[in-house]
Amino acid sequence: MQFTLSGHAPHQVDTPCLVIGVFEDAPLQGAAAEIDRASEGALQALVSSGDIDDNRGQTTLLHGLPGVQAKRILVAGLGKPSKFDRVRFDQACVKAGALLREHPVTEAHICLHEVAVEDLDAAWRLRHAAVAIDRANYVYTTTKPRKDDSPHPLQSVSFQGEAELSPALDQASSIAAGYRRARELGNLPPNICNPAYLAQQARSIAEHVNGVEVEILDKRQMAELGMDALLGVAQGSENDPRLIVLKYRGAAEDVQPFVLVGKGITFDTGGISLKPAENMDQMKFDMCGAATVIGAFEACALMQLPINIITVVAAAENMPDGKAYRPGDVITSMSGKTIEVLNTDAEGRMVLCDALTYCEKFNPQATIDVATLTGACVVALGHHASGLMSLHDDLAGELVDAGQQAVDRAWRMPLWEDYQEQLKTPFADMKNVGGMPAGSITAACFLSRFAKKQRWAHLDIAGSAWKWGLTEGATGRPVGLLVQYLMNRA
Ligand code: BES
Ligand code: MN
Ligand code: ZN
């Protein structure tokens, strides 16, 4: 989607659709007030008569308002001003964007960010509105050809604002590209998006974006490094695993990088501990950790942030097979620690532990892994928050703050030593499952054992990465949180 800025008075903008917001039972603000003046009170009259719904989440489409150049005006109801915050602002932008996605118009002029949102500045409001409008206009088409009744997503959008806001709009277009990349990879079927495909996508980012290099390790190279935990998961699949390493250099070579690690299970059958048939198709989303660290990486590289970033993706497929790893196996990880496999469906931590060990060599400022790791996380937090676990209070705080800022929230769960006991076994240094209680935390406990030498945090996105059961598919979360975190460090 093409973004531009326009500083013309809203009523003079020649556009198929002008988008404004109105609060419930409150005076018109910003662009809405200007439109009301230009139309000599026509807008306020429609609000007063109830023809425009100012309730939260409602949208009204007007035609031919006098004194206004725009052919249509889309009015988004913002609800009560006293309850309006960044979350509701985000929802209003998504609502308006989604209406335009279905509507035949493919161009619009957005003024939604002209209302007050908490104490957030104009750059935040513009950036957030632009990313939200873009997110709402994403349509998956790769394996579904367009038909007459297909949506008509916006092609180009102008935003109310002077040239001084153009850096914020450029940032928005990078973030939007990162979200799109993540969602597209997430939504692709597992017969297309396999480990080799993820590697190919990383190669293409390295080709097209300045300052980016890529290195892809194959099965043989991983075996030389002793990554037997990752290889153990992969050995039941005909699709060979890859370790994908993307490097972006925006600062001097000796500046310590930020490292993002993604779980890239391109399909999770559970392996020999086979999952039930119902909803198994959803396990194509089990590479959303990988998709989002790739998307966030691409966004930051497109922005040319003045920091160094490394993204490591552990890509493999978890299948049952005569060669598959099995419950009872004891595997020696790259770290030298031994793992008793009690459930082959706890494969995410198996691939991530070797990826985390691999990251030690980068001497990171911080390492953040992102994974659709546990169903238990969805039980704990539902679909609204990503689970966050870290032994580093400062890093955890920075990530929670970034999530609040980007309206892509994470919620911290404890990672106390007490939980580590659940991983004890007589047969190895640890087992790969900790039983029913606190399943998300014991999964993080497992990972923590491989990140002792790093300032590390773990994001469990099992609930936030896609909309379960709905047709909407991958959300691209937590691209927003990750990019905000890295922008804050730059
Ligand atoms: N990819 C799943 C986690 C998952 C399940 C995410 C459902 C989203 C929806 C993961 O590999 C898994 O199977 N985890 C097991 C762990 C258990 C065997 C300890 C789980 O959550 O049941
Ligand atoms: Mn699994
Ligand atoms: Zn999995």
Side-chain angles (χ1 to χ4, degrees):
M1 183 184 295
Q2 197 70 40
F3 293 156
T4 53
L5 275 173
S6 164
H8 294 297
H11 71 277
Q12 287 170 345
V13 180
D14 184 10
T15 173
C17 190
L18 184 79
V19 185
I20 59 175
V22 299
F23 285 104
E24 195 179 326
D25 305 329
L28 297 173
Q29 266 193 39
E34 289 181 52
I35 294 294
D36 190 50
R37 267 195 301 278
S39 66
E40 295 178 8
L43 190 70
Q44 181 61 61
L46 289 167
V47 173
S48 304
S49 67
D51 288 292
I52 290 175
D53 195 343
D54 53 15
N55 284 294
R56 180 162 78 97
Q58 301 305 311
T59 44
T60 310
L61 201 53
L62 307 174
H63 296 264
L65 209 69
V68 180
Q69 279 277 315
K71 285 190 194 59
R72 298 173 192 78
I73 301 183
L74 175 56
V75 186
L78 304 176
K80 298 239 185 314
S82 60
K83 292 207 171 154
F84 194 67
D85 59 8
R86 64 188 81 190
V87 177
R88 292 186 170 201
F89 176 67
D90 177 77
Q91 290 164 350
C93 294
V94 168
K95 260 264 148 60
L99 185 140
L100 291 166
R101 182 182 68 158
E102 302 306 317
H103 194 284
V105 300
T106 56
E107 274 173 56
H109 181 75
I110 312 285
C111 303
L112 278 173
H113 52 293
E114 298 249 289
V115 298
V117 186
E118 302 176 33
D119 56 355
L120 295 157
D121 63 19
W124 185 95
R125 298 195 314 263
L126 172 67
R127 187 169 59 232
H128 199 83
V131 174
I133 295 283
D134 193 280
R135 273 162 46 217
N137 276 275
Y138 168 79
V139 184
Y140 175 84
T141 55
T142 314
T143 49
K144 181 172 180 173
R146 292 190 58 83
K147 299 206 181 69
D148 291 344
D149 62 349
S150 298
H152 305 77
L154 292 173
Q155 302 291 319
S156 67
V157 184
S158 63
F159 291 87
Q160 188 68 31
E162 304 293 340
E164 71 205 22
L165 285 173
S166 95
L169 197 61
D170 290 344
Q171 289 171 336
S173 96
S174 302
I175 298 168
Y179 262 109
R180 276 173 186 266
R181 170 83 62 186
R183 293 175 77 179
E184 186 67 15
L185 288 175
N187 287 334
L188 281 168
N191 58 329
I192 294 176
C193 185
N194 55 31
Y197 185 91
L198 285 176
Q200 194 44 51
Q201 291 285 301
R203 276 203 191 90
S204 114
I205 292 172
E207 264 168 40
H208 294 107
V209 187
N210 262 340
V212 177
E213 281 173 28
V214 68
E215 194 185 342
I216 314 277
L217 276 63
D218 63 17
K219 197 159 77 169
R220 195 181 46 79
Q221 292 165 300
M222 285 189 268
E224 275 165 21
L225 291 168
M227 296 187 149
D228 285 3
L230 192 159
L231 293 172
V233 172
Q235 77 196 26
S237 172
E238 292 289 323
N239 291 313
D240 280 346
R242 300 285 192 283
L243 191 81
I244 302 164
V245 185
L246 275 164
K247 295 183 186 175
Y248 164 71
R249 240 194 66 192
E253 205 161 356
D254 59 349
V255 176
Q256 289 175 270
F258 292 91
V259 175
L260 305 177
V261 180
K263 170 178 173 182
I265 298 295
T266 59
F267 194 69
D268 181 12
T269 63
I272 297 299
S273 313
L274 193 63
K275 286 182 181 294
E278 197 183 354
N279 293 331
M280 198 202 272
D281 59 289
Q282 298 213 20
M283 283 298 114
K284 72 171 184 176
F285 294 117
D286 212 19
M287 36 57 70
C288 282
T292 54
V293 296
I294 291 172
F297 175 93
E298 184 177 22
C300 293
L302 286 170
M303 273 186 231
Q304 299 280 295
L305 288 185
I307 52 175
N308 294 331
I309 309 171
I310 298 177
T311 284
V312 175
V313 166
E317 190 179 43
N318 188 21
M319 297 289 268
D321 182 76
K323 292 205 284 282
Y325 81 140
R326 45 182 109 52
D329 282 0
V330 174
I331 294 175
T332 304
S333 64
M334 179 179 174
S335 72
K337 292 188 179 76
T338 55
I339 303 163
E340 185 187 17
V341 178
L342 286 185
N343 191 320
T344 61
D345 198 9
E347 84 298 337
R349 62 198 81 180
M350 300 293 290
V351 300
L352 286 171
C353 71
D354 280 343
L356 286 170
T357 302
Y358 181 80
C359 291
E360 279 175 7
K361 69 173 191 173
F362 300 127
N363 183 27
Q365 287 195 46
T367 304
I368 302 158
D369 80 73
V370 185
T372 48
L373 204 61
T374 62
C377 192
V378 194
V379 177
L381 297 173
H383 301 287
H384 301 292
S386 303
L388 164 63
M389 281 145 272
S390 179
L391 293 166
H392 304 269
D393 293 342
D394 52 349
L395 177 58
E398 289 161 11
L399 289 165
V400 168
D401 287 349
Q404 297 279 1
Q405 277 177 274
V407 198
D408 178 7
R409 291 173 290 182
W411 194 256
R412 191 176 181 190
M413 298 198 259
L415 196 50
W416 301 322
E417 213 172 34
D418 312 47
Y419 294 100
Q420 294 280 356
E421 271 187 37
Q422 288 173 240
L423 298 178
K424 273 194 183 152
T425 164
F427 301 110
D429 289 326
M430 70 198 85
K431 52 185 179 178
N432 78 334
V433 294
M436 186 276 282
S440 305
I441 295 174
T442 55
C445 283
F446 180 99
L447 296 178
S448 73
R449 296 175 179 217
F450 300 86
K452 286 198 176 125
K453 297 180 187 150
Q454 300 171 67
R455 194 168 158 263
W456 158 84
H458 161 62
L459 287 167
D460 193 330
I461 60 164
S464 55
W466 77 93
K467 301 223 164 130
W468 286 30
L470 297 178
T471 48
E472 279 157 82
T475 59
R477 291 179 65 191
V479 166
L481 179 157
L482 293 170
V483 176
Q484 186 68 53
Y485 168 77
L486 292 167
M487 285 170 71
N488 292 349
R489 308 273 89 63

